[in-house]
Amino acid sequence: MTSTRLYEVRGDVSPVSPYVLLRRCGGRPRGFWAAGDRWVAHAGLLGCVTVEHGHADSAGSRFGLVQEESRRLFGRVRSRTAADVRPRIFGGFSFSPRRKADPIWSSFPPALFHFPEVELEHLPADGVCSLAVRGRTREGAERDWRRWADVLERAAAAGHGVVRGASDAPAGPDQVAGLRGHALSASPSRVFGTERATWGRMVWQALSKISAGDAEKVVLARHLEVVPSQPVEPADLVTALWEENHGSYVFLFEPEPGQAIVGAAPETIATLVNGVVKATAVAGSAGVGTDSVQTAQMAQDLMDSDKDRAEQNFVVRDVAARLKALGCRVQLDVEPHVLALARIQHLETKIAAEVPPGISLLDILESLHPTPAVCGIPRSVALSVLTGSEDFDRGWYSGPVGFFDSEGKGIFVPALRSAVCSGGQWRLFSGAGIVPGSDPAMEWEETELKFRPVLRAIARAGAGESTAAETG
């Protein structure tokens, strides 16, 4: 990495849809991250931090390598005043530093982060959008900021304002039908993936390890290949996913045109702000009913389930122990509550901890990943079981994705309810925690439920039903 200086210009613009930026920057690296109405969209590439295959193990931890290289990158950024500089990078890590020879993940190495040329952020409390533009000269950055500000102001004036990130309406008739065909009514597609018989064998293998006392929990995943009859643009897909999953952390990372990962995670791995790390321990699943009474009963059944409570407690126990091992002072909820999302419910426990000096967000991430929510416990045994059972490369599925800045603040979520695209084909992933009492048929149904957010978004995006406006 060279020591060339980079310049940042930042200022406020009228509220505008992130879709404006994403669509205008098609063909360039892009990304989007949202938690409800708070979001940030970015495009272009001015700097990159990456850990390639073969370096993650031999040259030290990939988390440590990203930490080291990001500090060098942040040190190159200048602004009008030092207080104005808030550079941050966006990206993530694969589930495992090792990979199988799967071309669908060719643009996603063990770690990859982008320092974008343009970044648009919406903070609902401020009532405006913040626009940051970077360049290799101060004059160039200021010129490009004015150009982008003009584009966005014209879009806002034309009525392309901030799109609320979601529909909280009760679930209607599902666009996804059939367990084998997964017919997408709005966008007919070819669909194939893990066979049900294969899934059954995977679950029984995990249960045999558990019954032998070698493991307490193993998280298995399966995949679904979807080839839409009409191309589905990643920006359209993430917009549809965001609009229907208001309670989730919705993301898009597209390092190369047409090579993208999107998802809607229900939980965070870690958020670090002002010396306090927050995490959520999520596990156990239930659907939603046709009315509020039925949904409430399903939530109570989830709270009363010994199996689901035990599965979720594995996550709580492991996360708390790992934070304490880093010297953090941990506080957590006495018991879980039900996290109600648009079409699925989970058990959730909120965890907060004071972080001692010298411990960074990436240090915390390295300790926590992979959590029992995406891998199992003990970690080494669960990894061995899922590696031997799954006949596909997880790639970035269930790996940490997010962003962090030069002050150490940031957020990472597991890449769940996710899909990766390459050449017009989308590969979806869904997993389930296998614990004592798990039944292959019930776990299959749980994974079906977790496929639905992305399947619905594909159907909606393929039918052109996104409510976001395009400015051309």
Side-chain angles (χ1 to χ4, degrees), residues 262-385:
V262 300
E267 68 215 68
T268 63
I269 303 174
T271 301
L272 182 61
V273 178
N274 299 329
V276 176
V277 63
K278 294 182 179 180
T280 54
V282 174
S285 302
V288 297
T290 57
D291 56 39
S292 60
V293 174
Q294 187 179 27
T295 296
Q297 183 58 57
M298 296 171 80
Q300 188 60 53
D301 291 344
L302 184 62
M303 282 289 290
D304 294 341
S305 168
D306 291 339
K307 169 189 169 293
D308 290 308
R309 291 288 289 263
E311 179 184 347
Q312 196 262 347
N313 186 54
F314 289 142
V315 184
V316 176
R317 193 178 68 198
D318 187 77
V319 170
R322 291 181 182 278
L323 289 174
K324 289 177 181 177
L326 291 173
C328 299
R329 296 177 57 187
V330 178
Q331 294 182 327
L332 49 84
D333 296 340
V334 175
E335 64 174 28
H337 61 269
V338 173
L339 171 66
L341 302 176
R343 292 173 179 84
I344 192 170
Q345 302 182 87
H346 300 289
L347 294 176
E348 178 188 63
T349 297
K350 294 182 179 180
I351 301 170
E354 296 179 20
V355 179
I359 299 296
S360 71
L361 176 58
L362 292 182
D363 292 330
I364 295 168
L365 205 61
E366 181 176 14
S367 177
L368 295 183
H369 176 73
T371 71
V374 299
C375 177
I377 193 169
R379 180 184 289 177
S380 59
V381 177
L383 276 171
S384 175
V385 174

Side-chain angles (χ1 to χ4, degrees), residues 32 34-39 162-169 238-248 250 341-343 460 467:
F32 176 74
D37 295 332
R38 182 172 183 172
W39 53 259
V162 171
V163 176
R164 185 171 186 271
S167 149
D168 286 328
V238 77
T239 301
L241 197 62
W242 176 42
E243 290 170 353
E244 291 207 10
N245 295 273
H246 193 61
S248 300
V250 179
L341 302 176
R343 292 173 179 84
R460 183 174 178 182
T467 62

Side-chain angles (χ1 to χ4, degrees), residues 173-178 181-185 224 448 451-457 459:
D174 210 334
Q175 290 173 299
V176 182
H182 290 86
L184 305 181
S185 62
L224 199 64
E448 288 289 305
F451 277 134
R452 289 181 182 176
V454 177
L455 285 171
R456 291 176 64 92

Side-chain angles (χ1 to χ4, degrees), residues 187-260:
S187 180
S189 309
R190 290 192 294 111
V191 184
F192 53 95
T194 304
E195 294 289 339
R196 189 160 188 162
T198 301
W199 174 256
R201 289 193 295 271
M202 292 166 60
V203 173
W204 285 120
Q205 288 170 4
L207 286 172
S208 68
K209 283 286 186 180
I210 292 170
S211 63
D214 297 328
E216 294 181 88
K217 175 183 178 181
V218 177
V219 181
L220 295 175
R222 65 185 184 97
H223 69 102
L224 199 64
E225 309 288 334
V226 178
V227 186
S229 58
Q230 299 292 329
V232 173
E233 217 277 340
D236 294 338
L237 179 56
V238 77
T239 301
L241 197 62
W242 176 42
E243 290 170 353
E244 291 207 10
N245 295 273
H246 193 61
S248 300
Y249 300 88
V250 179
F251 58 88
L252 159 70
F253 186 60
E254 187 175 9
E256 295 182 21
Q259 308 284 319

